[in-house]
Structure formats: C-alpha cells, structure tokens
Amino acid sequence: MKIAVLNQKGGSGKTTVSIHLAHAFSMIGYRVLLVDTDPQGSTRDWAAARNGEAPFSVIGLDRPILHKELPKLAQGYDFVFIDGAPRVSDLTRSAIMAVDFVLVPVQPSPLDVWAVHEVVELVQEATIYKPDLTAAFLINRKIANTALGREVTEVLGEYPFPVLKAQISQRVAFAECLNIGSTVLEAAPKSAASDEVRAVVEEILEAREETNHGRS
Ligand SMILES: Nc1ncnc2c1ncn2[C@@H]1O[C@H](COP(=O)(O)OP(=O)(O)OP(=O)(O)O)[C@@H](O)[C@H]1O
Ligand SMILES: [Mg+2]
C-alpha cells in the first residue's frame, strides 16, 4: 500500500506523522520505505540525526517524477509513505498520482482547516484518472481532552473525505523525539503518544481490509 501524507499548508505535521507511521508499520514487521519529497529534506535530516541505522528505508526524491519512479522504487516494500512538501503543487500532484491513499494531517484551528481545500482539490482532480484513490483527514496537534471546535468539524465535514477517528494530540514528546532522530514509539513505547500512533495504524489497516474486500 502506498500512502502520501500531504497538505500544502506548512507545519501541519506531515513529517511528524510520516516518520511515526513509517516506524510503527516497520515495528509490526512490515517492510517500509519512506520517501522524502520535501526539498528541505526534513526526513533525511531525521535519519542523519539518528544514532544508528533507520528502522526503515529513507530516500529523498524532490522532483515531480514520483508517479513515474515510485512503482520501481516500491518493489519489495509492503508500505510506502511519502512525506509531502509544503506549497509546491507539482510535487503534491505527482505524489497523489503515485499512491492509493492520501492522508491529510490537519491542525484543528480555523486557519488550518480553511487551507485544506487546496490539497482536497488536487486529490479530486486526480480521481478523474484514479477512481480508486481514497483520502482521509488526520487531526494532528489536538489539545488533549478538548472537543474539536464546531468550526473545524463543520468545515472538514463539508469535504468528501472522512476524518479518522484516531487523532494525534499536541505533545512535546513528538517534537523532542524527532529532533534526536527517534520517535515516541521507541523512546516511550508505553506512552499515550505511542498509543495514538498505533491507533492510526489500526485504522489504516482496517480501511485497507475493507477496500480489499470490496475489490475481491
Ligand atoms: N502532535 C504534535 N505535537 C507537538 N508538536 C508537533 C506535533 N506535530 C507536529 N509538531 C511540531 O510542529 C512543527 C511542524 O511539524 P512537521 O514538521 O511535522 O510539519 P510539516 O507539515 O512536515 O511541515 P512542513 O510543511 O514545513 O514540511 C514541528 O516543529 C513539529 O515538531
Ligand atoms: Mg515536513
């Protein structure tokens, strides 16, 4: 399965979510490739800051040729994650054309939810060529124990993609771990932060099951 983590809005959590999901899937035994499409190379920096080898493969490819190159690069992997680049729409388009599923991390603030229309439009454009393409929103940086604002729920509810039930909270541990080339899964496997990441994994696997059944 190929998953692009995309949002044109900078700082929505694409890199944080991609690295944590790539790690979580590799920890349960899947062979995982993470493709860094951000010219800033945040994921490559993460791998370089790491003490020892990354638990999954990381490559950089920041030109809009992903849709052509990915089938070859993905050989031998069970899951491929694409860490999207902010703003550059030709990279985002290329990533969308390369995958089966687009995950859109979004911070639960009005400014952030209004900005998702850009990536939603790009996904909708692509479904003309890829009718089986699916997408979902993932709330990231939720303030623990607060309800999502009415505005956030309303705006996201207007789009044709579901919002995952699993959500990622605002927790310093996510940022601290990435800075040292680690993840919460390894630094604090029993933490609430790790539970949140694993809940996202479960939901993606369930969605994949449903799609596969639908096709068979
Ligand atoms: N759940 C979280 N809790 C705390 N901090 C977070 C969380 N998610 C992201 N951050 C922090 O927010 C900032 C932006 O996150 P990140 O780099 O993952 O976003 P991005 O979408 O990849 O950004 P860019 O668009 O620049 O590539 C980082 O400093 C990161 O550590
Ligand atoms: Mg990033």
Side-chain angles (χ1 to χ4, degrees):
M1 185 182 192
K2 302 190 193 81
I3 302 174
V5 183
L6 303 175
N7 189 338
Q8 306 281 89
K9 181 96 170 51
S12 55
K14 298 177 286 294
T15 300
T16 306
V17 167
S18 309
I19 292 176
H20 278 89
L21 289 181
H23 199 183
F25 277 88
S26 72
M27 279 174 134
I28 48 178
Y30 290 112
R31 291 162 300 175
V32 178
L33 169 68
L34 176 50
V35 184
D36 183 2
T37 68
D38 190 343
Q40 285 178 56
S42 324
T43 302
R44 283 163 277 178
D45 289 346
W46 172 84
R50 193 175 165 78
N51 195 355
E53 225 177 283
F56 46 85
S57 307
V58 178
I59 58 168
L61 200 142
D62 49 22
R63 282 166 302 137
I65 52 168
L66 268 174
H67 54 296
K68 293 197 190 121
E69 299 294 320
L70 202 61
K72 212 166 47 209
L73 296 170
Q75 274 173 26
Y77 292 101
D78 305 307
F79 280 88
V80 177
F81 289 90
I82 296 178
D83 177 12
R87 294 172 292 276
V88 205
S89 44
D90 58 348
L91 278 174
T92 304
R93 269 201 193 90
S94 177
I96 293 171
M97 290 308 288
V99 299
D100 324 293
F101 179 60
V102 176
L103 185 63
V104 180
V106 45
Q107 299 192 31
S109 81
L111 278 180
D112 284 76
V113 292
W114 294 333
V116 299
H117 74 90
E118 281 192 54
V119 66
V120 172
E121 275 163 27
L122 293 177
V123 172
Q124 285 178 319
E125 263 173 35
T127 53
I128 300 169
Y129 310 99
K130 298 185 64 156
D132 291 336
L133 182 68
T134 51
F137 297 112
L138 169 63
I139 301 293
N140 178 39
R141 306 190 85 164
K142 182 178 186 268
I143 307 296
N145 303 322
T146 53
L148 284 188
R150 197 160 57 108
E151 181 139 34
V152 171
T153 313
E154 270 172 18
V155 174
L156 292 181
E158 281 168 20
Y159 290 112
F161 316 148
V163 181
L164 294 190
K165 288 194 281 300
Q167 299 175 344
I168 306 284
S169 303
Q170 163 68 33
R171 298 177 191 275
V172 230
F174 283 115
E176 282 174 351
C177 289
L178 286 201
N179 283 340
I180 55 165
S182 182
T183 65
V184 298
L185 299 160
E186 145 181 276
K190 294 197 174 130
S191 61
S194 292
D195 288 343
E196 287 181 345
V197 175
R198 286 188 291 257
V200 177
V201 170
E202 288 298 313
E203 214 172 329
I204 292 174
L205 288 173
E206 279 165 25
R208 185 180 71 149
E209 279 284 293
E210 278 166 27
T211 317
N212 288 345
H213 286 308
R215 279 187 190 142
S216 58

